[in-house]
Amino acid sequence: MKLDRLIGILTVLLQNERVTAPYLAEKFEVNRRTIGRDIDALCQAGIPIVTHQGTGGGISIAEGFKLDKSVLTTGELSGIIAALKGLGSVTKQTHIERTLDKLGANSDSVVSLSEPIVIDLASHYKGYLTSKIETIKQAILEGKLVQFDYFYSKGESHRRIEPYVVIFQWTSWYVLGFCMERMDWRMFKLHRLWNLKVCEEKFVVRDIPPDKRDFNSYLSDDVKLVALFDESVKYMLIEAYGLDCYHETSEGLHFEVGFTNRGYMLSWILGFGDKVKVLEPPDLVAEIQTNARNVLNSYM
């Protein structure tokens, strides 16, 4: 804690021409005597700190002194700041703000916090997501089981898991854990996970098998969609799958992609209305035909 405070004081002194002991005491929530001892410790470490008495006095670093910036470049610090801001969009702000404050809190700082990159990892119900992440994180640190209700395509189930990693991938948040009901490793999407509670029961940490650390393996592309899209929706294909996801033919944009989540793919396809014709797989074609008939019947 003292080392953290010393680094914080040093950063404040580097960012400001002069500050007062009362200001530092209030900022770091300690008394002035502690600040005095911290200043002495910094001086002993070779930091040339100067104290000025009287009106307009205060504490400053000797003019011309600069820290060696070889540890982190400006570009590297900028990347850290962008990442911290992104993490701050889904976590409690206090420690994130404190860290950002140390890296550069005003116009005199070495690195500006006005980054051109904005990362928002939250959703429209950020409060729930933040709470879930914090709860699971605490359970991981304490080595405790968590329990929750889980909603998925087959219905609803109650699960108890040993939580190991919170992951942001495929535009969603997941938790990787060892499921006590299935006695196997599972990935659970946080948006489908509700009534989350930390259990009193602790668990012995397992080694995560190498194949389970490959998070992409949980959503392997084992079924291929083949479809023809109208030229007018080209931008939507590029937005979802990139510039090289199709090739132009006389019949339209020929598109092929692998998928695992059938429900998601069906919803995505139906969103194009009459601007797409699915060619494969045959069972998906049949389901779309049935869906189209049901929609038509509901309007008759």
Side-chain angles (χ1 to χ4, degrees), residues 209-269:
D211 61 314
K212 301 301 182 182
R213 289 183 176 274
D214 179 11
F215 304 131
N216 287 302
S217 66
Y218 290 89
L219 293 178
S220 58
D221 297 335
D222 53 4
V223 181
K224 180 173 287 188
L225 168 75
V226 181
L228 286 172
F229 286 86
D230 187 81
E231 177 78 18
S232 63
V233 297
K234 178 192 295 186
Y235 73 98
M236 297 177 68
L237 298 181
I238 294 173
E239 176 185 341
Y241 290 97
L243 192 61
D244 300 322
C245 66
Y246 65 88
H247 65 268
E248 297 185 13
T249 71
S250 58
E251 297 178 299
L253 305 178
H254 185 89
F255 175 86
E256 295 186 17
V257 69
F259 69 94
T260 296
N261 191 324
R262 184 184 180 87
Y264 171 81
M265 183 55 69
L266 178 62
S267 298
W268 186 70
I269 286 293

Side-chain angles (χ1 to χ4, degrees), residues 183-206:
M183 294 306 293
D184 197 4
W185 297 89
R186 291 286 190 274
M187 289 270 284
F188 298 94
K189 183 177 286 189
L190 296 194
H191 287 338
R192 299 179 181 175
L193 182 160
W194 294 92
N195 300 321
L196 174 66
K197 295 179 181 178
V198 179
C199 305
E200 289 302 319
E201 182 181 353
K202 292 194 172 186
F203 63 90
V204 177
V205 177
R206 307 170 191 262

Side-chain angles (χ1 to χ4, degrees), residues 265-289:
M265 183 55 69
L266 178 62
S267 298
W268 186 70
I269 286 293
L270 292 176
F272 288 91
D274 62 353
K275 303 299 183 183
V276 59
K277 180 180 180 180
V278 175
L279 305 178
E280 297 179 18
D283 59 331
L284 185 61
V285 173
E287 188 171 356
I288 291 174
Q289 291 172 339

Side-chain angles (χ1 to χ4, degrees), residues 21 38-39 55 68 96 117 126 134 143 159 163 171 183:
D38 289 341
I39 296 300
T55 303
D68 182 2
I96 297 295
I117 298 175
K126 172 184 175 181
E134 290 294 329
R159 300 294 182 95
T171 72
M183 294 306 293

